[in-house]
């Protein structure tokens, strides 16, 4: 571990963490495909990351949703009375409820449009254009979500009820808002308390492709949701080349659910030298 890495971890002392084994995500990709109809799964909006929200909430709650939005209802409904978890207060901001309703929102950005345009250009045999982004802090990402948080709160107020846990799941694409803490093992301790509407019990934020945190209104704290990258025997699972572990399971979920894609969240990164002036000419 480098000295800088050690200092970053020192700052994380006291951070609340919930960790699951990678097998839990593997189970989630299979359980969703087995217990939710293929037609419903195919209606998940890939561009908005709704499939990622379904996969991650299923993995951390340990149960499959009893309903997936296909006709204007709540995006994901879980019967949490069936959940065998001591962490519901952190994950849902509520205990003692039978159901939890999740509304999924992605933060607007230009990358999805660029990604679609790049795909069209490649199909025509042309070079795709360049997408430019500016690094921000993780707190800036949460701040940028305020408009969609308010929209999700209104939808939960209209579609859900106070006797259920009402949760917002926010998705941020890395290429829209690359965040400076992206290489840190933990980021929850860097986040300030969000201002949430009264209707919201908890807010999950997925900083694609590698960080997932949740704010609990009742506990008034952020929790880091971690995924172990090791098997029980200490070895690591095979991961698609140049992919983060969660991206690997996204691809597996899409395959098992028979969803053709494309997903703007499923990509690989490579380092390379910029083109020289001679090459550009």
């Amino acid at each position: 571990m480098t000295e800088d890495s050690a200092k970053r971890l020192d700052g994380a002392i006291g951070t609340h963490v919930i960790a699951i084994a990678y097998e839990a995500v593997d189970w989630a990709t299979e359980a969703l495909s087995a217990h939710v109809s293929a037609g419903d799964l195919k209606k998940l909006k890939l561009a908005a990351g709704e499939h990622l929200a379904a996969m991650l909430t299923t993995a951390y709650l340990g149960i499959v949703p009893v309903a997936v939005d296909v006709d204007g209802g709540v995006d994901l409904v879980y019967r949490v009375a069936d959940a065998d978890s001591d962490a519901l207060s952190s994950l849902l901001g509520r205990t003692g409820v039978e159901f939890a309703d999740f509304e999924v929102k992605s933060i607007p950005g230009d990358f999805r449009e660029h990604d679609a345009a790049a795909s069209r250009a490649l199909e025509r045999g042309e070079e795709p254009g360049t997408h430019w982004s500016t690094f921000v802090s993780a707190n800036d990402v949460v701040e940028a979500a305020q408009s969609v948080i308010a929209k999700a709160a209104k939808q939960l107020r209209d579609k859900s009820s106070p006797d259920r846990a009402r949760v917002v799941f926010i998705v941020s694409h890395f290429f829209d808002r690359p965040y400076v803490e992206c290489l840190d093992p933990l980021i929850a301790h860097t986040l300030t308390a969000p201002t949430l509407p009264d209707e919201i019990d908890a807010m999950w934020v997925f900083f694609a492709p590698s960080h997932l945190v949740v704010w609990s209104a009742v506990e008034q704290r952020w929790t880091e949701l971690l995924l172990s990258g090791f098997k029980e025997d200490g070895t690591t699972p095979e991961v698609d080349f140049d992919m983060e572990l969660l991206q690997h399971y996204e691809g597996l979920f899409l395959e098992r659910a028979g969803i053709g894609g494309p997903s703007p969240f499923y990509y690989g990164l490579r380092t390379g030298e910029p083109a020289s002036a001679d090459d550009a000419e």
Side-chain angles (χ1 to χ4, degrees), residues 181-195:
E181 302 91 344
C182 61
L183 298 180
D184 292 354
L186 302 173
I187 66 169
H189 64 288
T190 71
L191 299 173
T192 58
T195 301

Side-chain angles (χ1 to χ4, degrees), residues 106-117:
S106 60
I107 307 174
D110 297 330
F111 177 71
R112 281 173 289 183
E113 183 177 342
H114 165 80
D115 186 52

